[in-house]
Amino acid sequence: MIRCMAIDDEPLALQQIVAYIGKVPYLELAAQCQSALEAHQFLQHDTVDVIFCDINMPDLNGMDFIKALVAPPLVVFTTAYAEYAVEGFKVNAVDYLLKPFGLQDFMRAANRIRERMSPKLGDDRGLNKGNISSSSDPQPPNLGGATDDTIFLKTEYRIVKVSISDIRYIEAMSEYLKVYLESEAKPIITLLSMKKMEERLPDYFMRIHRSYIINLTKIQEVNKNRVIMDSDTYLPIGDMYKETFQKYLDTKFLGK
């Protein structure tokens, strides 16, 4: 059994996590706490394998609590604030559940926990069918059979397949990229440089700003120094990219 701790200052949210833990046969609830300080006291005399931890809590937030642990167990962050996702990467979180989340999302996190724990548990079955690797130190997948329209991106400790033609635009965010897709409401956040992404993309993508690469086939309008991708997305054209972008427009422009 995998011993779990649930931490959330909201009683209903804590109750939901506890209920979900009870629905997973290989998870066992060891403690439920309404603050990081209460959780710290428990860990002074007992241990757990995984912590389901809210982030935005009074006194001591969940992110700082996990960072302060000398030998932290596996952690799954639960929060209503999507901006914490990048911080979750930095502390090696198993998963990141954005509230409100359902049982299916929780099961995804539970399966990742079992994957990480399988060597310790002596589970020869390791991962579920379809997962990438059954070893404790996963090796990169063999991408040799991928088509030219396919790339693989690491996000939230998953490796996901992305159709290049599905990408609308890419936004740089410090050392991370946000990849916006036609088929998904939320962007994929991945640890990657713009240069590396540019090298892999075909010629119908263009960098128009130090922070943006766009799919030229997805442009709806060009208005002065902005590219309009849709009614809610206006991307600036940087000064050093204007000439190249204008040359592209000239090849497509019909009229006087």
Side-chain angles (χ1 to χ4, degrees):
M1 297 290 285
I2 299 174
R3 287 169 54 81
C4 304
M5 170 186 282
I7 312 171
D8 201 306
D9 64 309
E10 299 178 5
L12 290 179
L14 182 61
Q15 182 180 346
Q16 181 193 49
I17 296 171
V18 169
Y20 286 164
I21 290 173
K23 293 179 182 293
V24 183
Y26 51 86
L27 298 184
E28 175 187 14
L29 181 68
Q32 51 180 304
C33 306
Q34 288 191 262
S35 72
L37 297 178
E38 183 183 345
H40 177 72
Q41 292 175 355
F42 176 88
L43 292 175
Q44 294 296 303
H45 59 80
D46 210 336
T47 60
V48 295
D49 299 308
V50 61
I51 298 176
F52 292 89
C53 187
D54 186 23
I55 294 179
N56 193 27
M57 296 187 291
D59 298 325
L60 178 63
N61 74 50
M63 191 71 68
D64 290 339
F65 167 64
I66 297 298
K67 289 179 180 178
L69 295 178
V70 176
L74 301 180
V75 60
V76 174
F77 285 115
T78 63
T79 181
Y81 301 92
E83 59 267 27
Y84 287 116
V86 171
E87 285 297 310
F89 275 97
K90 295 180 180 178
V91 297
N92 201 29
V94 175
D95 206 341
Y96 180 93
L97 297 176
L98 188 62
K99 297 178 181 178
F101 56 87
L103 181 57
Q104 183 177 1
D105 295 318
F106 185 88
M107 286 301 302
R108 179 195 69 205
N111 286 333
R112 292 179 190 167
I113 291 166
R114 183 167 64 170
E115 174 184 339
R116 294 280 192 95
M117 292 291 297
S118 59
K120 179 179 176 181
L121 298 174
D123 184 0
D124 292 333
R125 292 169 297 173
L127 313 181
N128 292 333
K129 291 182 179 179
N131 284 345
I132 291 169
S133 173
S134 59
S135 67
S136 58
D137 184 16
Q139 298 299 311
N142 179 7
L143 308 186
T147 68
D148 289 340
D149 189 49
T150 302
I151 57 175
F152 287 80
L153 298 176
K154 187 173 182 181
T155 179
E156 297 181 346
Y157 300 91
R158 297 176 295 151
I159 295 178
V160 297
K161 184 173 71 172
V162 174
S163 293
I164 294 176
S165 57
D166 192 33
I167 299 173
R168 297 175 58 239
Y169 67 96
I170 298 157
E171 178 183 3
M173 185 176 59
S174 185
E175 66 266 41
Y176 293 85
L177 298 182
K178 295 172 75 173
V179 181
Y180 292 83
L181 304 178
E182 197 82 50
S183 60
E184 298 288 340
K186 296 180 181 179
I188 293 173
I189 300 176
T190 185
L191 179 60
L192 196 64
S193 69
M194 287 287 268
K195 184 176 184 299
K196 190 77 171 178
M197 180 62 86
E198 275 189 289
E199 290 172 352
R200 179 61 184 85
L201 293 173
D203 57 8
Y204 57 88
F205 282 82
M206 181 178 291
R207 192 164 182 173
I208 61 165
H209 188 276
R210 64 193 301 259
S211 298
Y212 295 103
I213 298 173
I214 63 170
N215 184 335
L216 297 169
T217 69
K218 308 292 186 182
I219 295 174
Q220 289 192 0
E221 186 178 332
V222 179
N223 190 331
K224 296 182 179 179
N225 291 324
R226 298 182 302 177
V227 173
I228 301 174
M229 305 301 288
D230 57 51
S231 59
D232 299 316
T233 308
Y234 295 71
L235 305 181
I237 304 171
D239 289 340
M240 65 181 296
Y241 302 95
K242 283 181 181 178
E243 183 178 352
T244 302
F245 184 65
Q246 185 60 52
K247 286 180 178 178
Y248 164 76
L249 291 181
D250 290 344
T251 66
K252 300 292 183 181
F253 187 74
L254 294 181
K256 297 181 180 180

